[in-house]
Amino acid sequence: MRFVCLVLASALALVLANGAVQAQRTASPFFAFVVFGEGTDGRPVPMVRSVAERATACPSLRSSHGGTPVTMTPRRRPVGGQFDDVLVCEARYPVGEAASVFQGGRRIDLPVVSLGTPRRVVLVGDSGCRGDTKDKPQPCTGDGFAKVWPFGTLSDEEVGNRPDLIIHVGDYNYRGTPRGMVVPARVSGYGRDMPVSFYDTGDLDDEDEPDLPIGAAYWSQNMEGSPIPDKWAYWRDDFFLPAARLLPVAPWLLSRGNHELCSRAGPGWFYLLDANSPLLGPGAKQQECPPQTPAGWQLGAWPKPPALPFAGQAFPTITNPPFRLKFGKLNIVAIDSANAADAVLFNLDLYLGQYREVARLLAEDRTPTWLVTHRPIWGVVKRDKGGPIPSTPYGFVNETQREAVHRVFPNGIPSHVKVVIVGHMHRFQAIGFDSRQPPHLAVGTGGMELSHVQPVPSPDHPKRPVRVPGLDRSDAYVVGLRDFATMVVNPVDDGTWTSALYGTEGEVLAVCDSRWPGPGHARSVCELK
């Protein structure tokens, strides 16, 4: 079935594209969607979330089969007031029947959710818009919208196709997450304005200079007195409005990207999208970012230099443990890689623990499994952007996860892992190994300004896979594209899968088959069309 992306002329045209969103021109924005989490009993739990601007009470959830409406419960807002004008509510969602969310005279219809093996899975990632930045602006509205920021252009045809599951591999909010800020003198008390770079553990696939703001200090845009704290308006414009048509179509599995670190858009992530909730069962709770200002630091009277925020202390970050969703004859394990350093070993102990838990999950259940995370495990980049491997002209990300995987799985990832699905790199990259390692798909093509293809293909044979020696102790065969696109994956009960990558005009850009790579095959998992 053909996947078509209908490119819209502007954000306003997007809002006019359907009746449900059209009403938001005259009413406060109102969204609803279903998100999956893992229950404390190990079973997948579908939950409905509503997100309503300027609402004072939670909506109700009503099953299509009738019965008593359920009043949804509010989630806890981040401190600081930046999300006070948006109310997020949630409830458990029924399995096997449709339901609708009602708020006043407004209604959003939601899908029938199945816990069986999904047959049609949509992959999207890195969907935000850069905005009016100094060095590389990316228009998010106006004449440049259609060609420069296509997220939200999923067509009526794809909406009508009703996928069984939508996986977003992270990075939802770009306009609201710059790399740094200027701290006003009135905030620090230093007598001068001071530029700082926000904590991140690498964002090295952009076409910029390598950026690795890891050091003794922890600077956060959510510090007290910050001129640019995370706030609802950024999330609304970068994710919810353009995704409004797609949000209610199918249940979502949502990964956390590095733009959702607590030093960036973490407060909104944990309020709006993170799957952690008391609804998952006894002992489960909503997560939130730790305070982003050191204890004792007062506005206008910070400790004098060389004092630095959180120097010598544990940085105020939070990383979710891996969780598993069991869907019939397919398991999906989600890993929070937001805090894994791209090109150096940093937070290695944290990710050794993460992958030991992944190993435990894989050992207790040998159902065919997908690993889903934001940062690549085996991404191929320019040599100066990643950790180099001797005798190759390439760099590799993510160094922290790759080392953790080496140590936890010294004989390779178990064979029932059928694919690793990631984002972070703002392009499409597909890797097939000449070994038993699973294929690796990077689909960071959802809207953020794209990066050039690495490794650079042969000018004589631009669609032929590029051999990359020594990637994870074996040869790898890599294809890539610099195109805005979305992938549709079709799992099969025996654990194999096929997929196709679709461009903004509905054209097939690549086709993939999990059976293609492997020892002696000398090919990628995808072929470019």
Side-chain angles (χ1 to χ4, degrees):
M1 189 176 293
R2 192 168 61 95
F3 176 88
V4 180
C5 291
L6 178 63
V7 178
L8 305 178
S10 67
L12 178 60
L14 172 65
V15 173
L16 293 173
N18 68 91
V21 183
Q22 184 176 2
Q24 296 184 28
R25 294 182 63 218
T26 56
S28 299
F30 173 45
F31 312 93
F33 58 100
V34 177
V35 60
F36 271 117
E38 182 185 13
T40 54
D41 62 359
R43 299 177 181 177
V45 175
M47 299 170 286
V48 58
R49 291 265 172 89
S50 66
V51 179
E53 193 170 294
R54 293 189 290 276
T56 58
C58 286
S60 62
L61 177 68
R62 302 181 193 177
S63 168
S64 60
H65 292 174
T68 304
V70 175
T71 300
M72 299 170 66
T73 58
R75 283 175 67 82
R76 186 174 59 255
R77 285 189 176 102
V79 298
Q82 304 304 321
F83 291 84
D84 286 356
D85 56 355
V86 60
L87 179 64
V88 181
C89 303
E90 62 185 357
R92 281 222 180 195
Y93 192 78
V95 175
E97 58 184 281
S100 302
V101 173
F102 291 84
Q103 186 174 60
R106 305 165 75 184
R107 166 179 176 169
I108 297 178
D109 295 328
L110 295 167
V112 175
V113 171
S114 169
L115 302 185
T117 308
R119 300 303 178 187
R120 184 180 180 85
V121 181
V122 172
L123 307 182
V124 64
D126 298 80
S127 56
C129 184
R130 187 191 295 270
D132 189 21
T133 59
K134 177 182 177 181
D135 296 325
K136 296 188 69 179
Q138 179 187 21
C140 302
T141 59
D143 293 341
F145 173 84
K147 294 182 179 179
V148 183
W149 185 47
F151 179 56
T153 64
L154 292 168
S155 73
D156 291 344
E157 181 175 341
E158 180 55 30
V159 169
N161 286 339
R162 298 289 174 180
D164 300 307
L165 180 67
I166 303 169
I167 297 176
H168 194 302
V169 291
D171 280 4
Y172 311 79
N173 184 339
Y174 284 86
R175 268 174 287 182
T177 54
R179 290 186 170 181
M181 67 181 176
V182 176
V183 179
R186 60 175 175 77
V187 172
S188 65
Y190 290 168
R192 59 180 176 83
D193 294 344
M194 180 174 58
V196 300
S197 295
F198 298 139
Y199 170 83
D200 192 354
T201 55
D203 200 353
L204 303 183
D205 192 53
D206 291 334
E207 299 298 317
D208 308 308
E209 291 299 315
D211 179 62
L212 194 68
I214 305 173
Y218 176 94
W219 296 101
S220 171
Q221 70 179 83
N222 300 303
M223 298 176 69
E224 187 178 0
S226 166
I228 51 168
D230 184 31
K231 62 183 180 181
W232 160 240
Y234 297 142
W235 279 94
R236 178 194 62 205
D237 295 344
D238 238 28
F239 180 68
F240 282 92
L241 279 175
R245 243 192 111 63
L246 191 60
L247 277 169
V249 167
W252 292 70
L253 169 60
L254 300 167
S255 286
R256 180 188 183 198
N258 61 298
H259 282 257
E260 290 79 56
L261 282 166
C262 288
S263 54
R264 307 181 86 182
W269 160 259
F270 285 111
Y271 183 43
L272 298 161
L273 299 183
D274 183 59
N276 284 288
S277 166
L279 299 175
L280 297 177
K285 63 180 181 179
Q286 179 183 337
Q287 299 288 3
E288 61 186 350
C289 287
Q292 298 291 288
T293 307
W297 284 49
Q298 302 297 320
L299 281 178
W302 285 4
K304 297 299 181 184
L308 295 171
F310 296 100
Q313 305 175 47
F315 288 170
T317 61
I318 180 173
T319 299
N320 286 330
F323 68 91
R324 175 179 56 197
L325 300 176
K326 297 182 177 182
F327 295 125
K329 296 184 179 180
L330 173 67
N331 288 347
I332 301 178
V333 174
I335 304 153
D336 180 351
S337 59
N339 210 13
D342 272 348
V344 297
L345 294 182
F346 185 79
N347 290 329
L348 179 59
D349 287 344
L350 168 64
Y351 282 93
L352 286 171
Q354 294 284 92
Y355 279 95
R356 287 177 183 132
E357 175 61 12
V358 172
R360 185 190 69 80
L361 295 173
L362 294 174
E364 72 176 23
D365 187 340
R366 294 192 61 82
T367 299
T369 299
W370 297 356
L371 301 185
V372 174
T373 189
H374 175 67
R375 295 182 188 264
I377 297 176
W378 301 298
V380 183
V381 297
K382 291 181 180 179
R383 190 172 180 85
D384 66 347
K385 294 294 184 74
I389 292 180
S391 74
T392 72
Y394 309 111
F396 301 91
V397 294
N398 179 276
E399 280 293 274
T400 300
Q401 290 192 104
R402 192 164 64 90
E403 181 64 21
V405 168
H406 278 169
R407 296 192 189 185
V408 174
F409 302 103
N411 297 318
I413 291 178
S415 59
H416 58 289
V417 174
K418 301 304 181 182
V419 67
V420 178
I421 299 169
V422 306
H424 195 55
M425 300 190 297
H426 300 152
R427 49 197 163 94
F428 170 69
Q429 186 178 93
I431 303 176
F433 288 96
D434 195 20
S435 68
R436 58 190 296 267
Q437 293 289 37
H440 190 272
L441 295 175
V443 288
T445 54
M448 177 58 180
E449 185 180 23
L450 296 168
S451 298
H452 288 89
V453 173
Q454 296 291 336
V456 178
S458 163
D460 297 326
H461 303 283
K463 296 182 180 180
R464 180 179 296 174
V466 178
R467 175 179 170 268
V468 177
L471 178 55
D472 204 66
R473 306 170 185 169
S474 72
D475 287 351
Y477 293 85
V478 185
V479 296
L481 288 170
R482 190 187 187 209
D483 291 85
F484 293 118
T486 302
M487 178 165 277
V488 177
V489 186
N490 304 111
V492 182
D493 283 345
D494 65 1
T496 62
W497 53 267
T498 60
S499 70
L501 187 75
Y502 296 92
T504 55
E505 300 296 330
E507 71 277 26
V508 176
L509 301 175
V511 294
C512 314
D513 192 316
S514 63
R515 297 167 294 184
W516 288 345
H521 287 203
R523 66 185 301 186
S524 180
V525 69
C526 298
E527 291 182 350
L528 305 183
K529 304 304 287 185

